[in-house]
Amino acid sequence: MGIARTQDEENERREFESFRQTLVAFASLERRKENGEFKSLSSHYANVDLEDKLVCVTCGVSFLGLALVNRLLLHGYSVRVIVDNQEDVEKLREMEISGEMLACKNKISVVMAKPTEIQGLMEAFDGCQGVFHTSAFADPAGISGYSKAMAEIEVKATENVMKACARTPSVRNCVLTSSLLACIWRDSSQHDLPPLVNHDCWSDESLCIDKKLWYALGKLKAEKVAWKIAEEMGLKLTTICPGLITGSEFSYRNPTATIAYLKGAQEMYANGLLATVDGSRLAEAHISVFEAMNRTAFGRYICFDQVIEREEEAEKFASEIGMPANMICGNSFDFIPTRFELSNKKLNNLMSKTLRSCYGES
């Protein structure tokens, strides 16, 4: 048990060291802005009122949460980080007291709110124009790190967050982080399944239950309840469905999410549906979608930057996450693989438009 605690502490230290380095970079960027080094650069958000740039990030100390906070700061947003325990609050406060967050003191704040308490979430969201619900939950008691009970907890937490967003007058838009797993687990015995898997595809709930894919089930049901509440309560919502999040030491910092996502990896690999996305690119995708919600962004967006299709790719990936290659490739299959094609065209089109606007191109 002592070794486990030591490893956990080391993982947390690495996460916050990464966060600290970004805050230092942010401070340097702010100084360069003050010195007028960026006056000639155009920006697609330059005409946004700074008072409209206060946003909230839930699960703000998760791998994705920290990456998103970092990118939001660099984009000029003020960020309210939501955590659900006092320990995480104190860790972030220590960074502020030590001076590491000094340059961001007017840009970042930390609030503790329980996902089980709608009123507390509303108070945390008050004044924010947008909410990013990164939905980064984990269950150490689950065999794969994510049990069936955790799926129901995630659904309820997402339901509460959506209701709190809808009831908070200042909140205009919400971006929910779902998962590619909410799109790809369909019954392949149905011969009429289209080969293209895109944002219009939904996983089969009964199939997830039969295969005990609890992580996929949790993401699927949470996203569905989010859309239901958004429709009923008039909340402007978009969802992003990412592949397995990767990045510097992600699997070691987040073994629960990695192992839970990869349950069924052999079948995903055989069907051409095992995809990954770098955490920084995913964070940038969240911001691109959020900033386009008052113009063209709507619905769901699949996000990935690599589909693992060849054996050498699978072996390299397995090595990077510290997993035996046969857990990805498999020595044999108990099913007949059906090749599908993943499409993130909708997101790519939106992000390319964002880049063109940054450079003043039509």
Side-chain angles (χ1 to χ4, degrees):
M1 293 298 291
I3 295 176
R5 284 197 297 271
T6 301
Q7 184 62 50
D8 288 343
E9 291 171 358
E10 177 62 17
N11 291 341
E12 291 175 359
R13 185 195 66 77
R14 289 173 177 171
E15 286 186 12
F16 283 96
E17 174 62 20
S18 175
F19 191 35
R20 184 195 68 79
Q21 290 174 358
T22 299
L23 290 172
V24 172
F26 176 74
S28 175
L29 179 64
E30 288 296 294
R31 286 193 296 271
R32 293 172 68 190
K33 285 181 179 178
E34 290 173 0
N35 293 333
E37 295 182 34
F38 298 105
K39 287 181 180 178
S40 61
L41 292 181
S42 66
S43 169
H44 65 289
Y45 55 81
N47 59 348
V48 178
D49 191 326
L50 289 178
E51 292 183 357
D52 289 342
K53 298 195 73 175
L54 174 60
V55 296
C56 189
V57 178
T58 67
C59 306
V61 293
S62 66
F63 185 83
L64 174 58
L66 286 174
L68 183 54
V69 169
N70 293 340
R71 299 304 298 180
L72 285 164
L73 288 171
L74 292 173
H75 274 256
Y77 285 89
S78 296
V79 184
R80 188 174 294 166
V81 181
I82 304 296
V83 296
D84 64 2
N85 62 79
Q86 189 62 36
E87 184 180 355
D88 287 338
V89 173
E90 293 304 321
K91 286 176 182 176
L92 291 173
R93 281 179 178 167
E94 285 174 9
M95 295 174 66
E96 184 175 13
I97 293 171
S98 69
E100 293 170 342
M101 292 173 60
L102 182 61
C104 305
K105 64 181 179 180
N106 294 322
K107 290 284 188 178
I108 186 169
S109 58
V110 183
V111 176
M112 187 170 71
K114 298 289 185 181
T116 54
E117 301 172 2
I118 295 178
Q119 184 60 41
L121 289 168
M122 290 174 61
E123 293 172 1
F125 297 162
D126 185 39
C128 294
Q129 306 302 313
V131 173
F132 295 87
H133 182 42
T134 61
S135 190
F137 296 97
D139 178 16
I143 294 176
S144 68
Y146 194 104
S147 65
K148 184 177 182 180
M150 192 63 217
E152 297 306 320
I153 293 172
E154 177 151 1
V155 172
K156 186 61 180 178
T158 298
E159 179 182 346
N160 290 342
V161 169
M162 294 303 114
K163 287 181 177 178
C165 285
R167 294 175 185 175
T168 305
S170 66
V171 175
R172 301 173 186 170
N173 301 318
C174 177
V175 179
L176 167 69
T177 309
S178 180
S179 173
L180 181 60
L181 298 182
C183 308
I184 65 173
W185 285 107
R186 305 175 299 165
D187 188 355
S188 57
S189 66
Q190 299 178 16
H191 300 295
D192 58 345
L193 277 180
L196 185 69
V197 178
N198 62 15
H199 53 276
D200 290 325
C201 297
W202 288 89
S203 291
D204 186 296
E205 189 172 321
S206 60
L207 182 69
C208 292
I209 294 172
D210 291 343
K211 290 180 175 288
K212 296 181 171 56
L213 301 168
W214 308 130
Y215 190 77
L217 180 67
K219 296 299 182 182
L220 172 64
K221 293 181 68 175
E223 186 182 356
K224 283 188 171 181
V225 79
W227 281 115
K228 183 175 183 292
I229 292 170
E231 182 177 351
E232 291 175 351
M233 302 185 69
L235 174 65
K236 196 162 188 179
L237 174 70
T238 54
T239 61
I240 297 180
C241 303
L244 176 64
I245 305 172
T246 59
S248 178
E249 299 175 326
F250 170 77
S251 61
Y252 298 101
R253 297 185 195 179
N254 295 265
T256 295
T258 301
I259 295 171
Y261 187 102
L262 289 174
K263 190 171 184 181
Q266 291 183 5
E267 189 170 346
M268 286 189 280
Y269 170 73
N271 288 334
L273 297 174
L274 181 56
T276 63
V277 60
D278 180 78
S280 296
R281 183 181 187 276
L282 177 58
E284 196 65 38
H286 278 69
I287 298 171
S288 294
V289 170
F290 176 75
E291 291 183 343
M293 284 181 70
N294 292 329
R295 301 189 303 276
T296 58
F298 67 96
R300 309 171 81 208
Y301 290 86
I302 284 180
C303 184
F304 64 89
D305 50 26
Q306 181 186 14
V307 178
I308 299 171
E309 299 180 284
R310 297 192 299 273
E311 188 171 346
E312 56 267 28
E313 293 174 340
E315 290 175 350
K316 180 183 177 182
F317 171 67
S319 175
E320 289 173 349
I321 63 174
M323 180 177 287
N326 64 357
M327 291 187 68
I328 305 295
C329 307
N331 297 318
S332 61
F333 299 107
D334 297 325
F335 53 87
I336 300 173
T338 304
R339 300 297 294 184
F340 295 100
E341 179 185 354
L342 282 173
S343 173
N344 58 358
K345 184 178 179 180
K346 182 181 177 184
L347 179 61
N348 286 344
N349 286 344
L350 182 143
M351 294 187 73
S352 65
K353 289 178 182 177
T354 301
L355 286 173
R356 287 197 299 270
S357 67
C358 283
Y359 290 98
E361 298 177 7
S362 59

